[in-house]
Each structure stands twice: as C-alpha cells, then as structure tokens.
Amino acid sequence: SDRDWSSDVCSSDLYVFALRSGSFSPRGRRSGRGGNGLTDPLTARHPLPSPLPSRERGGHEREKHIDIILTFAILFRAVLLFSNPIQEDDFYRYLWDGKVVASGLNPYGIAPAAVAEHQAGTQEYGNIIETDNAFALILARVNHPWVPTIYPPLAQGVFALTALVAPGSLLGLRLTFLAFDLGICLLIIGLLRVLAMNAAWVLIYAWSPLVVKETINSAHYDIVPTFFLVLAVLLMLRGRGRWAQVSLAWATLGKLY
C-alpha cells in the first residue's frame, strides 16, 4: 500500500498520549474510575503524569506555566525575525499592494507587470518607484505580475497600515503578523478557559514549528484571517453571537479561500 504508515503510528501515539494526559475529559481529569467513562488498559495499569500542569496544582502555578510557554513562543519567533525567507516570495506582493493602497491607488485595477512596462494609465503607480527605488526591486520580484492582486479588502488594509509605518520593510510586515500571531495565542488561552480546559494546551499552537516558520520566516498573511476566525469562535462560546458574526465576516474579508 502507498499509505504512509507513519501517520498511523503518530495517530496511535497521540491517542495514548491524550488518554494518559486526561484530554478526553472536559476538565482535564484522567480517564478511568471516577472520570468520564473512558477506560484504557494502558493508563489503568501504567498511569503517567500529565506533561502539562493539572488544574489541581493551583492558579499561580498554572499561570507560571503559561508565562513560560508564551515567553518561549516569543523567543522562537524572535529568532526568525531577521532570517532570509526560505523559498518564499509572496511577501513582495504584500509590500507592493500595501504601498499602492497607502498611496491612495487601486490595487485591483492595474497589474504589476503593466507598471513595470510603463503601460498607459500606470503613471501614478510608476511614481511609487520614482520616489522610492527600493520598490523597483520589490515590483520586479512580485510573483504572477501579470495578474492584479487577489487579496481581499482586509488584507489590503493590513498591508497598507504596515506600509504607512514601514514602507517596503519585510521586518515591518513580520512584526505586524507577529502581533496577530501572539493575539491568537491569547485567544486560544481564552477558548481553553471557557471550555474549562487546561490553558497550558496553548503550547500545541504556540510552539508549533510550522506556525513559526510560515508566519515569521515566510511572512505568510494567513495568520490575520485566522485571528478573526478564532476570535469568532471565542465570541460565540461567550454568547456574543452578533459580534461573532462580525468577526467571522472580517475573517472572510481577509481570505476568501
């Protein structure tokens, strides 16, 4: 069979890990006698301590663990703030679009290739290059330059705000995305607390190498609509349905697919 056997092994390991750590219980208690009715022979005979702080250890210790998790999450991201992007060039489009919108121009009307070729009607866009030579390189490296931008209004707003503060700066873009990324960590902590679960499980997201690489090194924009999506879920769980709908609408305006 061509099926990757490693996925089966990982799934089995995660299943045993979840049973042993009590994650099947809504309040983080262990499965088995007195728990939620789920019994596993491995955990019954060989119980292991949860790798995350239990709810019985006190609020102060739980908060201490969360502080440590968030501190290391920031450090992991800070290491990549000045790194060279690995096989990524989407951020050139973000930087170009941001400057276009910040200049009061329409990013949906003119393709970057038309600007580079000095086609009729692109004079105002061409002024961006004349006033800042750094954008000549950015324009030359925009992928699919013959296509006008595909990024929806919320994305354009984020790109433009970044361009107003740090035009043409990859670091500025990364710091913007970092703010949304850390915001998601806080929202997940809020979600876990609403669900009466151990907030330290935020570690799964906060220390994810994939999240760190794609958000900081690659400077991918997906973190912004994800922020509003998670916020919508949190608002819904707190009974604020209308605000949840607004947040979900913002997420849709951030990414359509």
Side-chain angles (χ1 to χ4, degrees), residues 151-162:
Y151 296 101
L154 177 62
Q156 298 300 328
V158 173
F159 301 158
L161 288 175
T162 303

Side-chain angles (χ1 to χ4, degrees), residues 40 44 53 64 68 98 110 121 128 135 142 149 181-182 190 202-203 206 211 223 230 237 242 254:
D40 177 66
K64 179 180 178 181
I68 292 174
I110 301 294
I128 294 175
F135 280 96
V142 170
T149 189
D181 187 23
L182 296 178
V202 69
L203 178 146
V211 173
I223 204 71
V230 177
L237 291 176
R242 291 186 178 180

Side-chain angles (χ1 to χ4, degrees), residues 8-219:
D8 295 330
V9 174
C10 291
S11 298
S12 301
D13 290 343
L14 288 173
Y15 168 73
V16 174
F17 173 77
L19 284 174
R20 292 183 176 181
S21 62
S23 62
F24 284 158
S25 173
R27 293 187 178 274
R29 291 190 293 266
R30 296 190 183 281
S31 306
R33 189 175 302 175
N36 59 4
L38 292 174
T39 303
D40 177 66
L42 289 176
T43 58
R45 289 179 295 176
H46 307 287
L48 293 177
S50 171
L52 299 179
S54 65
R55 293 175 57 83
E56 290 77 11
R57 296 185 187 178
H60 176 72
E61 186 171 351
R62 290 199 304 272
E63 294 301 322
K64 179 180 178 181
H65 279 82
I66 293 173
D67 290 343
I68 292 174
I69 290 171
L70 293 180
T71 298
F72 275 95
I74 294 172
L75 290 175
F76 296 152
R77 288 155 172 78
V79 168
L80 295 180
L81 279 176
F82 299 94
S83 62
N84 292 323
I86 301 174
Q87 296 182 341
E88 297 292 347
D89 59 3
D90 288 348
F91 62 89
Y92 289 112
R93 172 76 73 164
Y94 305 162
L95 295 173
W96 174 255
D97 282 2
K99 183 62 176 180
V100 168
V101 176
S103 301
L105 301 174
N106 180 8
Y108 302 105
I110 301 294
V115 180
E117 296 170 1
H118 305 287
Q119 295 182 11
T122 64
Q123 180 60 39
E124 291 181 309
Y125 296 83
N127 291 338
I128 294 175
I129 302 173
E130 294 178 2
T131 55
D132 190 342
N133 291 330
F135 280 96
L137 177 61
I138 292 173
L139 179 64
R141 293 186 176 180
V142 170
N143 59 18
H144 306 292
W146 57 88
V147 180
T149 189
I150 62 172
Y151 296 101
L154 177 62
Q156 298 300 328
V158 173
F159 301 158
L161 288 175
T162 303
L164 288 173
V165 177
S169 170
L170 176 58
L171 177 61
L173 201 61
R174 284 172 166 170
L175 290 174
T176 300
F177 295 163
L178 175 62
F180 283 97
D181 187 23
L182 296 178
I184 291 176
C185 290
L186 298 179
L187 290 176
I188 292 175
I189 291 173
L191 277 171
L192 292 168
R193 287 173 174 168
V194 168
L195 296 171
M197 297 176 66
N198 195 328
W201 284 110
V202 69
L203 178 146
I204 295 175
Y205 173 87
W207 288 11
S208 169
L210 180 62
V211 173
V212 176
K213 191 272 178 188
E214 290 298 311
T215 302
I216 306 302
N217 175 263
S218 299

